[in-house]
Amino acid sequence: MLHLRLITPPDRTEAVTEVIEATVGTTHLVVLPGAARDPQGDLVLCDVAREAGDELLHELRALGIDQDGSIAVENIDLSLSKRAEQAEEEAPGEPADAVIWEQLTEATHEESTLTVTYTAFMILATMIAACGVVLDSAVLIVGAMAVGPEFGPLAGVCTGLVQRRPALAARSLAALLIGFAAAIAATTVFSLLMDQAGLFSRQMLDNGRPNTSFVWQPDPFSLVVAVLAGAAGMLSLTSAKSGALVGVAISVTTVPAAANAAVALSYGEYAQMWGSAEQLLLNLGGIMLAGTLTLIAGKALWRTQRGRWKRQRPLSRS
């Protein structure tokens, strides 16, 4: 379930409580008149089944509570309440299938902002992958995939397109492109330094590398895996099953392809560099395509669910 903490202007508290009481799947409603100081207003608390959360947030925003007050949402890990169980049973659908669009937009906004930390993770992941491709180590490649933060901006692009928020899509795309550009540039310098130290060599790059040669030799499976990973990644975000993101992170070759491009560039191996660039663009494009289509399908399901809630409302509460 979700816990909502609202600060409401006193003249709208009654309307807010009516909306909460009319929404299928809500419970534990508490109203504390005049409890809020900044901004001034009434404090309203309630719990709502995840399936009904997006509908309730939509109604609250329609009342302008997000403009003149506050709406805070928290996940409830444990709720020992018979009434909470009843509320979840009343709400149509399953919690894992529910999409909280405001929560998704906020999460992708945070993960898709170009920051020093994001860029550092991108550079470090690409350097780790560079060691992996030169040593032909699948373990290092998998580790680099898990460290790479690129799925946040990819999800931000998809969310921005589907939600028609061009600013979010543009910011996410900028973070993605700048992040990879910085990582490739830094890893190229890193490769040159490793060569000077005698740890990298052109021969190591030109060897057969049976475990890692796929990062610069794209084939139809590259697109297939990217599409499947993009769909799985967006489902993990919208259903709050974030653990699945680890599997998504290690299933696509974005960071390793960027690393191989950087190492190949440092040695003037342009065939490998362009092959790696093609692999990188193919994976990014496949993930964004699948992620966008997955969100479109989720939005269509949300509209259907919303219509069902409206039809059930008159019967839900007396």
Side-chain angles (χ1 to χ4, degrees):
M1 295 193 73
L2 302 174
H3 177 68
L4 270 63
R5 185 182 72 251
L6 314 173
I7 296 178
T8 67
D11 62 333
R12 267 169 278 176
T13 300
E14 185 65 28
V16 167
T17 57
E18 289 178 358
V19 165
I20 293 173
E21 291 174 338
T23 300
V24 176
T26 58
T27 186
H28 303 156
L29 176 60
V30 177
V31 180
L32 301 174
R37 297 291 183 90
D38 184 19
Q40 290 188 350
D42 301 333
L43 180 62
V44 179
L45 309 173
C46 73
D47 295 341
V48 58
R50 183 177 174 84
E51 308 92 294
D54 196 73
E55 169 69 6
L56 179 57
L57 289 175
H58 177 80
E59 297 288 350
L60 292 173
R61 295 196 67 183
L63 292 173
I65 303 305
D66 57 322
Q67 300 295 324
D68 303 322
S70 170
I71 303 175
V73 182
E74 300 174 344
N75 289 312
I76 299 177
D77 295 326
L78 177 63
S79 180
L80 303 178
S81 166
K82 187 67 176 179
R83 181 65 192 95
E85 294 177 3
Q86 182 182 349
E88 289 188 321
E89 291 175 359
E90 291 174 355
E94 295 295 331
D97 297 331
V99 181
I100 311 298
W101 287 97
E102 294 297 334
Q103 191 177 56
L104 175 62
T105 301
E106 182 65 24
T108 51
H109 176 276
E110 181 179 350
E111 294 295 328
S112 63
T113 302
L114 185 63
T115 62
V116 173
T117 301
Y118 165 81
T119 306
F121 269 116
M122 184 69 80
I123 291 173
L124 292 172
T126 309
M127 288 181 176
I128 294 172
C131 295
V133 297
V134 171
L135 298 174
D136 194 34
S137 171
V139 173
L140 290 177
I141 291 294
V142 171
M145 290 176 174
V147 172
E150 73 277 13
F151 192 79
L154 286 168
V157 172
C158 299
T159 303
L161 291 175
V162 174
Q163 291 290 80
R164 297 181 182 179
R165 299 191 179 189
L168 174 60
R171 181 174 55 253
S172 301
L173 186 60
L176 191 68
L177 296 179
I178 295 173
F180 270 113
I184 291 173
T187 304
T188 300
V189 175
F190 172 74
S191 177
L192 292 172
L193 293 175
M194 293 291 281
D195 180 78
Q196 291 296 315
L199 299 176
F200 282 9
S201 69
R202 182 187 293 269
Q203 183 180 357
M204 296 171 73
L205 183 68
D206 291 336
N207 285 339
R209 294 190 291 151
N211 293 321
T212 59
S213 60
F214 67 93
V215 302
W216 64 277
Q217 296 176 336
D219 57 27
F221 280 103
S222 301
L223 180 61
V224 171
V225 172
V227 168
L228 296 176
M234 292 312 304
L235 281 176
S236 72
L237 287 179
T238 57
S239 64
K241 294 188 177 296
S242 57
L245 279 177
V246 177
V248 173
I250 63 175
S251 64
V252 289
T253 56
T254 51
V255 167
N260 199 84
V263 177
L265 176 62
S266 70
Y267 286 113
E269 295 281 353
Y270 298 115
Q272 280 202 40
M273 184 191 73
W274 290 117
S276 301
E278 184 180 352
Q279 177 79 276
L280 175 61
L281 294 175
L282 194 64
N283 278 274
L284 294 178
I287 292 172
M288 285 190 284
L289 174 63
T292 301
L293 293 177
T294 301
L295 285 180
I296 290 174
K299 196 166 189 176
L301 178 63
W302 172 76
R303 286 176 178 172
T304 303
Q305 197 78 12
R306 183 179 173 187
R308 187 185 306 170
W309 286 331
K310 287 186 175 181
R311 290 193 299 271
Q312 291 185 1
R313 269 185 180 177
L315 302 176
S316 62
R317 303 279 176 89
S318 58

